[in-house]
């Protein structure tokens, strides 16, 4: 788990907004959670089109979305609950220079987007962080409901997590309107943990009856 690379964080802090604001203020340098884009690219290519309208939740200061547009993706909207990191990323990638990228301060439990706005939603560690906080199961259920709402039929929600299926599948089942596939991706580092893979939960929104 990449947290151990830094070695100073407590997992219980990860559900706390103040923790993230302080972290990004004290260390604004880019930090990639779990997997780099080069490792995820083959899986992204299997589920997303370069023309897809993509939402990344809990973007932090990850370079993922920038690397995606460098690879040809035309629209990646990034949200994070931390105003600090959104301001940092907006300054780093101003929309006038990178019209394919957008950064918005937003809570993934209450998305300020219209229904059926995106063909794809990506989460890399946000659900894991929420599960470290108070009212974790309820908050994850709210996140799932909102992601389902903004996804178009046939759209894909892809969640990259360290959480094993026995600890994660029930959270995805709080929404009944999608099909779940689980993939594994070898970690790009080994930190003395028993599991040496990350789990990729691929939720495909079912078409409405009659479509």
């Amino acid at each position: 788990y990449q947290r151990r690379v830094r070695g100073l964080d407590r997992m219980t802090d990860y559900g706390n907004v103040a923790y993230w604001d302080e972290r990004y203020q004290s260390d604004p340098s880019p930090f990639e959670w779990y997997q780099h884009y080069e490792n995820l690219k083959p899986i992204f290519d299997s589920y997303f089109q370069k023309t897809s309208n993509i939402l990344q939740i809990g973007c932090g200061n990850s370079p993922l979305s920038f690397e995606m547009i460098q690879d040809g993706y035309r629209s990646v909207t990034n949200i994070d609950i931390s105003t600090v990191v959104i301001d940092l990323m907006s300054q780093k990638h101003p929309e006038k220079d990178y019209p394919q990228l957008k950064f918005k301060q937003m809570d993934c439990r209450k998305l300020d987007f219209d229904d059926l706005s995106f063909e794809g939603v990506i989460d890399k560690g946000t659900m894991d962080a929420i599960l470290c906080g108070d009212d974790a199961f309820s908050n994850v259920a709210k996140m799932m409901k909102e992601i389902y709402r903004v996804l178009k039929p046939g759209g894909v929600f892809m969640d990259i997590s360290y959480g094993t299926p026995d600890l994660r599948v029930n959270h995805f089942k709080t929404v009944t309107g999608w099909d779940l596939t689980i993939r594994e991706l070898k970690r790009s580092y080994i930190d003395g943990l028993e599991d040496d893979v990350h789990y990729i939960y691929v939720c495909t929104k079912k078409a409405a009856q009659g479509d």
Side-chain angles (χ1 to χ4, degrees):
Y1 184 32
Q2 199 155 349
R3 174 184 62 89
R4 298 190 180 188
V5 175
R6 297 207 169 194
L8 300 176
D9 302 336
R10 296 180 305 162
M11 286 185 67
T12 52
D13 291 332
Y14 285 13
N16 186 332
V17 178
Y19 163 79
W20 293 109
D21 281 342
E22 189 280 329
R23 173 169 172 157
Y24 293 127
Q25 285 175 332
S26 63
D27 185 6
S29 58
F31 184 74
E32 191 65 275
W33 290 90
Y34 300 166
Q35 296 283 345
H36 294 277
Y37 177 64
E38 62 186 84
N39 301 327
L40 292 166
K41 172 179 165 55
I43 299 175
F44 282 11
D45 288 347
S46 297
Y47 293 98
F48 303 131
Q49 301 293 321
K50 296 293 175 63
T51 55
S52 297
N53 195 17
I54 304 292
L55 171 67
Q56 182 184 195
I57 64 171
C59 63
N61 55 13
S62 160
L64 180 75
S65 61
F66 179 70
E67 292 169 351
M68 289 175 69
I69 67 163
Q70 285 187 311
D71 193 36
Y73 282 89
R74 298 183 187 176
S75 176
V76 185
T77 299
N78 301 272
I79 67 166
D80 200 284
I81 201 168
S82 169
T83 302
V84 172
V85 80
I86 290 298
D87 288 346
L88 286 170
M89 296 301 282
S90 297
Q91 292 168 17
K92 185 174 183 178
H93 303 298
E95 193 169 343
K96 65 182 179 63
D97 297 328
Y98 303 97
Q100 312 97 314
L101 284 178
K102 294 181 176 62
F103 292 92
K104 299 177 181 290
Q105 191 280 330
M106 201 175 298
D107 187 335
C108 65
R109 298 168 299 179
K110 190 176 181 181
L111 296 175
D112 188 20
F113 298 114
D114 292 338
D115 295 356
L116 314 179
S117 292
F118 298 96
E119 284 88 17
V121 179
I122 298 168
D123 168 33
K124 193 148 61 70
T126 302
M127 181 172 73
D128 294 342
I130 291 173
L131 286 170
C132 296
D134 295 332
D135 299 320
F137 285 18
S138 173
N139 285 327
V140 168
K142 292 175 183 176
M143 181 188 85
M144 293 292 175
K145 182 178 179 180
E146 281 292 273
I147 290 171
Y148 181 83
R149 180 181 66 80
V150 302
L151 262 184
K152 295 180 180 180
V156 170
F157 168 41
M158 188 178 295
D159 189 279
I160 296 99
S161 172
Y162 71 86
T164 55
D166 60 310
L167 298 175
R168 291 292 183 270
V169 166
N170 283 340
H171 294 296
F172 296 102
K173 289 183 176 179
T174 59
V175 171
T176 59
W178 52 33
D179 294 317
L180 174 64
T181 301
I182 304 172
R183 300 181 59 161
E184 296 180 1
L185 184 61
K186 187 174 178 61
R187 293 174 188 256
S188 54
Y189 55 88
I190 302 296
D191 190 30
L193 300 180
E194 181 177 347
D195 294 325
D196 65 351
V197 299
H198 287 119
Y199 298 91
I200 301 178
Y201 299 91
V202 181
C203 303
T204 303
K205 185 171 182 177
K206 299 176 183 177
Q209 289 186 353
D211 290 353

